[in-house]
Amino acid sequence: MKTLRFLAAESFVSSGQSAQENISSLSHNLYPLLFKAAYVQEEAVLLHDLVQTWPLPQLNLKRLLGPTADCQLDLTSRTCRICLVAVLTGLRDYVLSPQTTYAKSLRLFDLTGLQDLERQLCKCGKTLGRWARTEVLTRMCYEVMVAMQAGTAALSAFDEQVDVHLDAFVTGRSYEVVLRALLLRHHCPLKMHCVTLRADSLSVKNLVYFLRLAEPEGLQKLEVVHNVHLEAAHLEVILSHLDFKELRSLTLPARALDVRRLGADDTETLGVLGDLLSKLTHLRELCLDFSTLTAHLRKLLSPLNTPLQSLELANCALTAVDMAYLANSLHSEHLVRLDLSGHEVADLFPNTFRKLLQRCSGTLSSLSLEECGLEDEHLEMFLVALAPCNGLQELKILGNPLSLASLRSIFNMLAQRFPALRYVELPVPRDCYPENVTYPLDDSTLAQYDRDKFAEARAELVGILEQAGKGHVEVCTPLFGAYDPDINETSNELGVFMVNSFRDVVGTFMGAINEVGERRERRMAEGYAEGTDDESDKV
C-alpha cells in the first residue's frame, strides 16, 4: 500500500531531468521518501544525486528500503546492481564534492541487512551480491584517496569522516584489495567497518591477519566456510588473541573440529575452546556442521553461560551421550533453530530426541532433519516428537525414505497445527524411486525418480495445506541443496580453488609414486650391480 505522499514522490522521481535539477530545492525530510521512490523506479541517476547531496546524519539502507508508513513494500531483498552501484558512487561523490544547499552532516552509511535472493524482481535482473558490494565499496575508498592525492577533491573532503558499516565477504580473489582498504582506513574519509564477515578460500594466516585489521571487537557475525583449512588449534589461537566483544554468530568450516585428529595430549582442547567460547557473552548462534564431535559435545558447549538460540550440528557423528547432554542442557529451552541432519535420531536416540524437542518446543521455529534415516516405521515417534513445537515455521526433511502415505500423515499434521508455518522442504517419496534403491541416495541416484508420480504426490500434499488455508506455505524439493547466493556469486572462484587443490593432491600423489619408482629402480640397479660383482668374483 502506498500513501498519497509516496505516489507524489514517485511522480516527482519519474519526471527525469526536472527531478535532478530541483534536488537542491527539496526539504531535507523528503530525502528518505524520494530515495525509496527512486529505488522502486530504478532511477539510478537520481539515486546517485540524492546520496551525493544527502543532508541527514545517517543513511541506513535497511531502514530506507524496508516497510515504511508511506510504502509497505520491502525492498531489502532487491539488491539491484544498477541501483546499488549508483548509491555507492553517490557516497564517493558526497565526500569529494563541495557542500551545496545543506551542510554536510552524514556520519553513518549503513549497508548492512540486505538479503540476496535467487530471482531479482528489478528491471535489470542483475544483482550486486555481498562479495560484489564489498568489492565496489573498496573501489570507492580507493577512488576517494586517489582524487584527494591528485588534488581534484573539494577541500572539505579532508575534514570528512563517514563510518561505513557493511556485511563483508572476502575470498582469495578479493583479499588483497579489501585488506589494503582496511590498512588505509585511517587516512580515508570513508571508514569501512565490517559488521559481519564471510571468509572463503583463504589461508589460515591470511584469515588471522584480516581479522586483526577488521576490528574484531565490533564484529557481530563471523562465517569461516568451505576452503579455509581451519582446525581446533587455529581456532584456539584466534579466540585467545582476538577480542570478539560483540560476536553473536559463529560458523566454522567443515571438519574444523575433529576429535579423531586429537592426540592423547589434545584431549582437553575442546574444553579449552568451550572456555574461550564462554567469553563471547553475546554469542547466540553456532554452526558446527560436518565437525566430528563424537562424545565431546558436552566439553565444547557446557562452559557457555549464555544459551544458544541457533545450533547447527549436521553430520557431527553425535552419540546418545551427546544427545542426552543436549536434551538436558541450558541451551535446549532456548533453541530457535536446530539442525541435526545426518543423524539417525529415531534409531540411535529416539527418547532423548523426543525430550529435546519437548524442551525447545516453546521457542523452536526451524528444524532440519535431512538424511536422518526416518522411515515409515518411525512415523509415530516423529509425529509425537514434533507435536509440541507449535511455533514451527520451517521444516526440512529431505533425503528421508518416507512413503507418500507417511508424508500424507505429516502434511495432515502440518495443516492442523503450526499456525506460523511458512516453509517446508519435501523429500521425494520413496514410492517414486525404483524399489532397489538404498538410502542415503548418492548423486547419481538422487535424480532418478518418476517425475510424473512425484508431481502428482506433490500436488496432493500441497492440496492438503491449501484446504486448511495454508496455501501461502512454500513447499520445495531442492535435491542438490537450497540456493546459496554467496556460493552462487563466487562459484567460479571456488571451482578454480577446488581444481587447484585437486591438482596439488594429484601432483603430490604422482610425486610419491615417482619417488617410489625411482627407489625401486635404484634397488634393482644396485642388486644387478651386486650380482655382476659376484659373477666376476667367481670367474
Side-chain angles (χ1 to χ4, degrees):
M1 181 178 176
K2 301 176 181 179
T3 63
L4 288 175
R5 265 171 44 99
F6 194 82
L7 292 173
E10 285 188 309
S11 177
F12 175 82
V13 164
S14 61
S15 64
Q17 187 67 32
S18 174
Q20 298 166 33
E21 293 172 353
N22 288 288
I23 283 182
S24 59
S25 304
L26 295 174
S27 172
H28 70 279
N29 62 343
L30 291 177
Y31 272 70
L33 181 72
L34 292 170
F35 183 94
K36 187 168 186 178
Y39 204 96
V40 170
Q41 301 288 340
E42 295 181 33
E43 293 289 345
V45 175
L46 185 59
L47 275 172
H48 168 276
D49 294 349
L50 286 169
V51 176
Q52 184 180 355
T53 57
W54 196 258
L56 304 172
Q58 293 188 15
L59 195 159
N60 187 311
L61 279 184
K62 185 177 180 180
R63 291 179 187 170
L64 290 171
L65 299 180
T68 61
D70 290 300
C71 178
Q72 292 299 311
L73 283 175
D74 187 349
L75 304 177
T76 53
S77 60
R78 192 181 293 186
T79 52
C80 172
R81 174 178 289 272
I82 291 176
C83 291
L84 289 177
V85 169
V87 169
L88 290 171
T89 53
L91 175 64
R92 174 201 62 196
D93 294 339
Y94 171 89
V95 173
L96 297 178
S97 306
Q99 73 175 50
T100 53
T101 305
Y102 297 104
K104 291 190 175 185
S105 59
L106 183 62
R107 294 295 173 262
L108 175 61
F109 182 93
D110 197 331
L111 193 57
T112 64
L114 301 182
Q115 299 178 16
D116 299 300
L117 300 181
E118 183 174 5
R119 296 179 182 85
Q120 284 297 317
L121 299 178
C122 57
K123 297 173 186 176
C124 72
K126 296 180 180 178
T127 182
L128 192 73
R130 179 158 50 154
W131 186 91
R133 292 196 292 272
T134 305
E135 189 274 334
V136 173
L137 177 60
T138 301
R139 183 154 41 87
M140 295 303 103
C141 293
Y142 280 122
E143 291 179 7
V144 166
M145 292 295 294
V146 169
M148 291 172 66
Q149 291 179 347
T152 58
L155 291 177
S156 60
F158 294 86
D159 298 321
E160 288 296 325
Q161 182 170 319
V162 181
D163 290 324
V164 183
H165 292 180
L166 80 153
D167 297 321
F169 182 8
V170 180
T171 63
R173 183 155 53 107
S174 63
Y175 170 77
E176 292 291 342
V177 291
V178 181
L179 187 72
R180 291 194 189 101
L182 292 177
L183 288 169
L184 292 172
R185 180 168 48 198
H186 295 295
H187 307 286
C188 181
L190 297 177
K191 311 293 184 183
M192 194 166 71
H193 301 280
C194 302
V195 177
T196 71
L197 172 63
R198 181 183 176 95
D200 197 350
S201 302
L202 295 179
S203 68
V204 175
K205 178 182 177 181
N206 286 348
L207 171 66
V208 174
Y209 187 47
F210 190 91
L211 286 172
R212 289 178 60 190
L213 291 178
E215 298 177 331
E217 62 274 7
L219 200 63
Q220 296 180 15
K221 183 175 183 178
L222 174 61
E223 298 173 272
V224 185
V225 296
H226 305 306
N227 297 307
V228 179
H229 301 305
L230 191 72
E231 297 185 7
H234 304 138
L235 183 61
E236 182 180 348
V237 171
I238 290 172
L239 294 178
S240 299
H241 292 84
L242 300 179
D243 188 7
F244 296 97
K245 292 180 181 178
E246 300 296 326
L247 194 67
R248 301 176 185 178
S249 178
L250 175 62
T251 297
L252 300 181
R255 298 179 295 279
L257 306 180
D258 190 342
V259 296
R260 298 169 300 182
R261 290 202 297 256
L262 299 179
D265 298 333
D266 301 320
T267 53
E268 297 304 318
T269 299
L270 290 185
V272 172
L273 290 178
D275 290 334
L276 292 170
L277 289 175
S278 69
K279 297 178 181 180
L280 308 179
T281 56
H282 293 283
L283 188 67
R284 295 294 182 272
E285 301 176 359
L286 185 60
C287 179
L288 303 171
D289 289 348
F290 293 93
S291 283
T292 303
L293 301 172
T294 308
H296 285 73
L297 189 63
R298 177 191 294 272
K299 286 187 178 180
L300 186 64
L301 298 186
S302 61
L304 274 65
N305 297 314
T306 51
L308 295 171
Q309 295 176 355
S310 176
L311 184 58
E312 299 181 46
L313 298 169
N315 298 283
C316 287
L318 301 181
T319 64
V321 173
D322 297 311
M323 283 298 293
Y325 159 71
L326 187 58
N328 294 282
S329 69
L330 166 73
H331 313 290
S332 62
E333 294 184 337
H334 298 83
L335 288 173
V336 176
R337 178 184 179 87
L338 177 63
D339 189 347
L340 293 174
S341 298
H343 297 97
E344 296 185 357
V345 293
D347 284 332
L348 298 178
F349 25 72
N351 294 328
T352 48
F353 171 68
R354 191 161 50 239
K355 181 178 182 180
L356 174 59
L357 290 195
Q358 175 67 43
R359 291 285 300 274
C360 65
S361 60
T363 56
L364 191 66
S365 68
S366 177
L367 177 63
S368 298
L369 297 171
E370 299 181 13
E371 295 187 349
C372 285
L374 294 173
E375 300 186 45
D376 293 351
E377 61 187 85
H378 306 129
L379 177 63
E380 184 177 355
M381 184 282 298
F382 177 67
L383 295 179
V384 170
L386 193 63
C389 305
N390 198 49
L392 196 67
Q393 297 179 22
E394 295 183 352
L395 178 64
K396 302 176 182 180
I397 51 175
L398 286 177
N400 290 291
L402 294 163
S403 67
L404 176 58
S406 293
L407 290 171
R408 191 180 293 122
S409 297
I410 293 173
F411 270 69
N412 276 320
M413 182 178 182
L414 296 178
Q416 296 166 12
R417 297 171 178 262
F418 316 116
L421 188 69
R422 58 179 178 80
Y423 181 81
V424 178
E425 287 190 359
L426 165 72
V428 175
R430 184 163 191 157
D431 319 52
C432 299
Y433 283 104
E435 292 183 4
N436 60 347
V437 299
T438 56
Y439 284 77
L441 302 171
D442 56 37
D443 289 346
S444 61
T445 309
L446 199 59
Q448 294 179 6
Y449 62 90
D450 189 323
R451 276 13 183 222
D452 294 334
K453 197 171 183 179
F454 173 65
E456 293 177 5
R458 184 184 183 282
E460 178 185 348
L461 297 173
V462 171
I464 293 174
L465 295 177
E466 290 175 345
Q467 289 175 7
K470 292 186 176 180
H472 62 281
V473 176
E474 182 182 356
V475 179
C476 62
T477 307
L479 290 179
F480 297 98
Y483 176 78
D484 187 321
D486 296 315
I487 291 179
N488 182 70
E489 188 178 14
T490 57
S491 57
N492 291 337
E493 180 176 3
L494 296 182
V496 170
F497 186 93
M498 293 175 69
V499 168
N500 289 337
S501 298
F502 179 71
R503 285 175 178 169
D504 292 341
V505 171
V506 172
T508 303
F509 178 68
M510 293 303 296
I513 289 177
N514 292 335
E515 186 178 346
V516 170
E518 290 172 1
R519 287 203 301 267
R520 182 179 299 171
E521 289 176 0
R522 283 198 298 269
R523 285 199 299 268
M524 292 176 65
E526 290 170 359
Y528 176 77
E530 290 175 359
T532 304
D533 292 340
D534 291 341
E535 290 296 328
S536 300
D537 292 339
K538 289 179 182 179
V539 173

